[in-house]
Structure formats: structure tokens, C-alpha cells
Amino acid sequence: TKWINSHLAKHKPPLEVNDLFEDIKDGVKLLALLEVLSGQRLPCEQGRQLKRIHWVSNIGTALKFLEGRKIKLVNIHATDIADGRPSIVLGLIWTVILYFQIEELTSNLPALQALSNSNSSVESIASSETGSPPMKRKVVNKFQGNAKKALLRWVQCTAAKHHGIEVKDFGPSWRDGVAFQSVVHAIRPDLVDMEAVRRRSNRENLEEAFSLAENELGIPRLLDPEDVDVDKPDEKSIMTYVAQFLKHYPNPHHSETDGHCMCFCHPHFPLKSASVSSFTENNQIELKVFLDQLERDVLRAQGAEGNLTDKYQAFKSFRVQYEMKKKQTDPLLQPVHRDGKLSVDQALVKQAWDRVSARLLDWHIHLDKSLPGPLGVIGAWLHRAEMALREDIPIQHAHDETANVLHRKLEQHKEVLKNLESHRQTFHQIHKDRSVNGVPVPPEQLQDMAERFNFVSTSSYAHLIKLEFWEIKYRLMAFLVLAESKLKSWIIKYGRRDSVELLLQSYLTFIEGHKFFEQYEIIFTALQQAAEVYVKSDSSIDEAEGVSKFLSDATAQWKNLALEVRSVRSMLEEVISNWEKYSSTVAGLQAWLEDAEQMLNQSENAKRDFFRNLSHWIQQHMDMNDAGNFLIETCDETVSRDLKQQLLLLNGRWRELFVKVKHYARADEVDKLRQDYQDGINTLKMFMDATNEKMTAPVQVSFLNVRAFVQDVEVNNRYMCSVVSLLGTLG
């Protein structure tokens, strides 16, 4: 969070992250961070009423930008960031730090170039993405290790070495603060007294080093002493902080060395690794001469007279030469560029190797086909079977294309397997007899074929199972990519009502017409079944773990995708509903305003009567603004601009009118109060008349009559008091 804030402070306007997992959810601050780091302007959805679909859109923009920088993001999805999943958020931020700070600052160090094998910064090559089915590949992430080594070597050679400090890692070696002080001293010797440093406590050294770096060198204070003075300081935090010092190092052409430290040359004159620098013009000439001669010798031997046994012996001799020389020179054919490309010299030599390899393969096929009778047929079949087993599957740009390629390979492999059993029986008999119809077979060639036949027999069914799993796996990956691409086409800034209705219709056609959710269940169930068979047929623990992880990741990805896809419908329907509400309220309010503005010139009674239902139009006015503001936030810029203009005009007319007529809003209430008042007066008058009549009427004197009269008067008095009280209230 401190690292992010040190960069967001440079944003215009400055921004700040308080709660990393919450503040990153809408993608606004993430995009701002990438803008500061890259110097590029990135599109961003902003506003007070951002919905989750806008969050996902912003995060998607950020991830797409990183992928455009050749940064591979493994299992990091927009929906995970929008959910604020801590492990995913931290993984993303570490990737950003690694690429934009640690790689950028160490990339010019020749130490890194010497350690690196031309892999990009945060590229991790997963078998599920780029490997071919027959090959087992592990996930690798070479850059982080190389950057770490280069950064550590820089500290050891430019700072720690001069003061006899042993820095072995980015953890406990930094706890006492002396290593930090030595780095500051290497940049500004006048700031640090190393003798005094050795006498101080850990916390004192750490506090002073961080303060000097911040105040004197301008390096943001990403750490506090209590973060480092622990048993296991966080390695990534210390790497991130220490990498900042590289920007301030004076960059001498080399550090003082005693033969143990690596040279740090000027970035414009990088060192080459030993294997690459040894690939000189002489090497090229020597290899070219050897390969050209080998190719000529192979062609000559292939055309020479002789029996099958002699020719096979000659072939084996050339094959041994070829293998030995290739093993010696393979290290020279490793890519020298960071993009993985070969140099011109390397490319020429590789072409020569490929030509010789093709010649030897053609010769081998010809020798096997030349065997007598059915053995020659088996020899030709054996080469096709071996090729099917060893052939790499070309991973296409699109997953569905890869799945189609795998399907074709699968069908071809099934064709090869059809003949396996019949060829097995025939070959077994020939191998037992050492001859075909009485014609002897070269024993060495026959033995080689037996070993190859055994390899094909034991590997074919496992390979078939693997191809079936990989095909379904890429079908699922293609389905998930399609789902994500459809989701992006639906999570957009919308247009007017008719275009949103068309979008909803398109959504329903795709989801319901293609049975979208059912289709996923079918593919995933098939994949689970194929995976179970595949894992049982493959004894590799790594492979089993990789399959299990892929299924787990695919399940998590689909869970988020399915949730987002289902939410699209409700969002589209909400937008259409607001368009409907907005259109109807605008039309009604405009017509009413026309009449109301003309009514202002009429009599008081006419105005009172017209504006009697003003409260209804107040509600309509509120509904119009609610719907309009929702649409402004969710629609594209052109539509939003038109809506803002329309609302501005209507609200202006409303305010001007409302000031003049707002008192009519209670007209019905006032009329009712007046009627109640008049009714009270009439009731009181009737009571007074009745009372006067009673008071003036003669009364026959008797005890019972007097008591009844008095009670009647008391009741009337109580009733009169209540009526008077009511009239006072109404008055």
C-alpha cells in the first residue's frame, strides 16, 4: 500500500489507497497507478454510481494493458480483483512491482543479463497454455530469481563488500539495519558513519537509514523498523524497497572486484554470457564445414552399393557422429536475445543441423522400408507411429484451433493403432525366426526395430488418452475464452433504448439458444472423466498435480464468469426499464410544463384548480431525474451528453415554475381544512340554538326532572367544549 501511494501521489489529481483490497475493487486507482508507472493514458469508467460491471471493465482494461506489455498473468481474473480476493490482489500488485520497478531498475545490470536465459520479466510458461501434450513441462518463472540474484549481487559488490558485511538474502541479513546503512553510504558516503552504525541497536539503525533515504535521497519510506526487526522479514517488501536505491547509485563502469564480485558495466555496454560470446565466426565456419561434409558423406553412403547389413552399419555410424557433435554444440544454439530469437549465425547453423537430421531420417525410413516382405511394411508403419508419438502439438493462437488440431492428431493416431495388434503378431514371429520367408534380416536392425516396437506398443494407448484429455481441455479453454469475450461485449457503455433491447435479444439468443450453461456442464463433465483416466495412465506426480490445479482453476474461473454472465440480463433489463421510465416521465412532464406555463396568466381559482395535483408532478420530476442520472452513468458519452442537456433544460424550466406555484401543492389540504372549519361553525350554531331553547323552556319542578335537566346540560357543555377546541385548531 505504501508503494502504491508513493506513486499515486504523482497522479493528477493525487490519489490514495487506504484499504488495498477494497480500494482496488473498482479498478479506478489501479488504472491510475499504471498510468503513473507507464506514462500512458488509459480509459477508465468513473462516477459516483459505478456498478460491478464497470468495476470489471476497468480491471479488464488494466489486465489487458499488462498483457500488452508481455506480462503473463497466471490465474488472475478481473472478477477476482473486483471481489477483493487478498491472494489474487497481492499477486497482481507484486507482478506490477516486479515488472515496473524491480525489472526496470535491474534490467540494465549486466549481472542480470548474465544470469538470464532471455526470458521476460514475469513470464511463467504453464504446461496448460504453451506446452505440447507429449512433453511434461513445469511452470517456470526465471526472471524473478534472476532479478533477485542481480539485485543481491549489486548490494554485495557495491555496498556490503566495502564494509565486510555479509548479505546473503533479502530477509534476516537486513534485520540489524547495517545493510541498509551500507547502501545509503555507497550512494552518499557523507551521510553515514559506518563505525557508529555498528554500535547502535537494530531499531536505531533502521530508523536512521529509512529517514536518510527519504529526506536526503528522496526514496519513499516503504518500511518501518518494526517491519524488518523480526525473525523473518518479508523478502518481497525488502526487494521492492532496496530496488529504489538503484536509481540513485552513481553507476560507475565497474565496481571494485577481487575476482569474486560480478562486474557492473555501463548499461549501454552489456556483457555477454560465456556461451554466447564463444560462438564466434570461427565456430560458425567450423560447424558449417562439419555439417556440409556430413551431409555429403550421408548422401554418398546412402547411394553406395552393398547389402542391407552393411548399409545399416554405415547408417548407425553416421547417426552416432551426428548425435555426439550435436550434444557438444547444442549449448551454442541457445537464444541470445531477450525475445527468444537466435542470432543470424545461430540460425544458419540450426538450418544445417535440420538438413542433416532430415537426411538421416530419410535414410533410416528407406532402410526399414527395404526390409523383405511384411517387415518392410512394418518398418514404414513404425516410423509413422513414432512420429505420431514424438510430434509436438502446435499450440495455436486460438484455443478452439488447438482443439481442432488435437482432434485431427487423435484421429490419425487411432488409424495407427488399428494396425498395432496385427503388426505385433507378425513382428513377433519374424523376430523369433530372425528371417522373413527364409531371407535373413540384419540382426542389429531387427533388434533396433524390436526396441522401437516395444516403445510404440507401451506408449500408444497412454498417448491416445493424453490426446483425448488435451482436446477436451482446450475445448473448455476455448469455451471460457468465448464466455469472457461475450461478457466484454455485454459489459459496455450502452446506447439508446432500441440498441439495449437488441443487445438483450442477442444475449438471450446466445444464452438460451446455445444452451450456454448446459454446454459448459457437458464439456466440464467430459473433461473430469478424461482427466481421471489420464491421471491413472500417467505415473507423473507433477502431471497429476497440474491436471488437478487446472480443474480447480477452471472451476473458480467459471464460477465468477457464470455469476457475471447471469448478472448481465438483470443489468440490461434495468437499463431498459430506466429508459422506459425516463421516456414516459419526460414526455408527460414536457406536456404538463407547456400547460402550466400558460396557466400562470389565469385567475387564482383556475390556477388553484390546475395545480391541485402538483404533488403528482413533483414525484414525476423526481422519477425522471433518478432514471436520467442512472442512464447518464451507464450510457456512452454521446447519449450521456444528450441526456445531460435535456435534463438541464427541463430542470431549469421546472425550477422557474415551481418557485411560483409550490404553494398550490397543499391546495386540496387547505380546502379540506376550510370545509372542516365551516362544518364546525354550523355545528356550534346549531348547539347554541338548542341550548337557548332549553334554557328558555319552562321546567316542571320535581327532583327527577331537575336532575335529568342538569345531566343534559353537562353533556351539552362537554360537547360544546370539544367543538370550540376543534374550531380553535382550524382557525
Side-chain angles (χ1 to χ4, degrees), residues 426-441:
T426 304
F427 184 78
H428 179 73
Q429 188 61 47
I430 293 172
H431 188 260
K432 181 180 178 182
D433 297 340
R434 302 289 174 176
S435 64
V436 178
N437 299 325
V439 178
V441 179

Side-chain angles (χ1 to χ4, degrees), residues 461-524:
Y461 287 106
H463 188 60
L464 183 72
I465 291 169
K466 181 179 285 190
L467 288 176
E468 288 174 340
F469 168 74
W470 275 66
E471 182 192 350
I472 302 173
K473 173 181 174 179
Y474 273 92
R475 295 283 179 214
L476 183 72
M477 291 167 69
F479 183 88
L480 293 175
V481 168
L482 174 63
E484 286 189 332
S485 100
K486 282 291 184 183
L487 188 61
K488 287 179 182 177
S489 72
W490 295 324
I491 301 178
I492 57 173
K493 285 291 192 178
Y494 303 110
R496 297 196 173 274
R497 179 178 175 177
D498 54 350
S499 68
V500 183
E501 288 174 340
L502 286 174
L503 195 59
L504 178 59
Q505 187 58 48
S506 168
Y507 170 86
L508 293 174
T509 300
F510 181 81
I511 297 298
E512 296 174 0
H514 292 82
K515 298 186 180 300
F516 179 73
F517 294 102
E518 295 89 339
Q519 192 178 349
Y520 171 81
E521 291 300 331
I522 291 170
I523 298 174
F524 188 75

Side-chain angles (χ1 to χ4, degrees), residues 217-229:
L217 304 179
I219 294 174
R221 185 186 180 113
L222 304 183
L223 299 172
D224 292 314
E226 55 268 27
D227 298 328
V228 184
D229 189 16

Side-chain angles (χ1 to χ4, degrees), residues 291-520:
L291 291 169
D292 290 343
Q293 184 61 49
L294 183 60
E295 186 176 8
R296 287 192 295 272
D297 291 344
V298 167
L299 286 170
R300 186 165 49 250
Q302 189 175 359
E305 296 296 329
N307 60 38
L308 198 56
T309 301
D310 293 339
K311 287 187 175 183
Y312 194 76
Q313 288 289 347
F315 164 76
K316 290 277 285 188
S317 174
F318 281 113
R319 184 61 183 260
V320 170
Q321 271 186 276
Y322 167 85
E323 294 290 351
M324 290 179 62
K325 193 69 173 180
K326 195 167 191 308
K327 187 175 182 180
Q328 293 172 0
T329 56
D330 262 351
L332 301 179
L333 294 177
Q334 296 302 312
V336 296
H337 302 297
R338 294 193 65 182
D339 58 4
K341 293 181 179 178
L342 300 174
S343 69
V344 175
D345 292 345
Q346 289 175 312
L348 290 172
V349 171
K350 186 177 184 304
Q351 288 173 4
W353 275 121
D354 292 342
R355 286 198 307 274
V356 173
S357 179
R359 294 288 185 194
L360 287 170
L361 179 61
D362 288 342
W363 192 5
H364 195 186
I365 293 172
H366 177 74
L367 288 170
D368 284 344
K369 283 183 175 180
S370 300
L371 289 166
L375 192 56
V377 176
I378 293 174
W381 171 85
L382 195 55
H383 279 285
R384 290 198 303 274
E386 288 174 324
M387 188 175 296
L389 287 173
R390 294 195 172 109
E391 186 178 24
D392 284 350
I393 301 300
I395 304 301
Q396 307 298 314
H397 179 69
H399 295 318
D400 55 346
E401 292 176 8
T402 302
N404 291 335
V405 171
L406 284 163
H407 182 74
R408 289 195 296 272
K409 299 292 181 186
L410 183 60
E411 293 303 311
Q412 292 168 8
H413 195 63
K414 287 178 180 178
E415 286 296 319
V416 170
L417 286 176
K418 282 181 182 178
N419 301 313
L420 176 60
E421 196 56 41
S422 62
H423 286 329
R424 190 206 307 272
Q425 294 173 4
T426 304
F427 184 78
H428 179 73
Q429 188 61 47
I430 293 172
H431 188 260
K432 181 180 178 182
D433 297 340
R434 302 289 174 176
S435 64
V436 178
N437 299 325
V439 178
V441 179
E444 189 174 2
Q445 188 173 1
L446 187 62
Q447 185 57 37
D448 286 346
M449 288 182 71
E451 293 174 3
R452 291 161 58 202
F453 203 102
N454 183 57
F455 166 76
V456 170
S457 298
T458 56
S459 305
S460 289
Y461 287 106
H463 188 60
L464 183 72
I465 291 169
K466 181 179 285 190
L467 288 176
E468 288 174 340
F469 168 74
W470 275 66
E471 182 192 350
I472 302 173
K473 173 181 174 179
Y474 273 92
R475 295 283 179 214
L476 183 72
M477 291 167 69
F479 183 88
L480 293 175
V481 168
L482 174 63
E484 286 189 332
S485 100
K486 282 291 184 183
L487 188 61
K488 287 179 182 177
S489 72
W490 295 324
I491 301 178
I492 57 173
K493 285 291 192 178
Y494 303 110
R496 297 196 173 274
R497 179 178 175 177
D498 54 350
S499 68
V500 183
E501 288 174 340
L502 286 174
L503 195 59
L504 178 59
Q505 187 58 48
S506 168
Y507 170 86
L508 293 174
T509 300
F510 181 81
I511 297 298
E512 296 174 0
H514 292 82
K515 298 186 180 300
F516 179 73
F517 294 102
E518 295 89 339
Q519 192 178 349
Y520 171 81

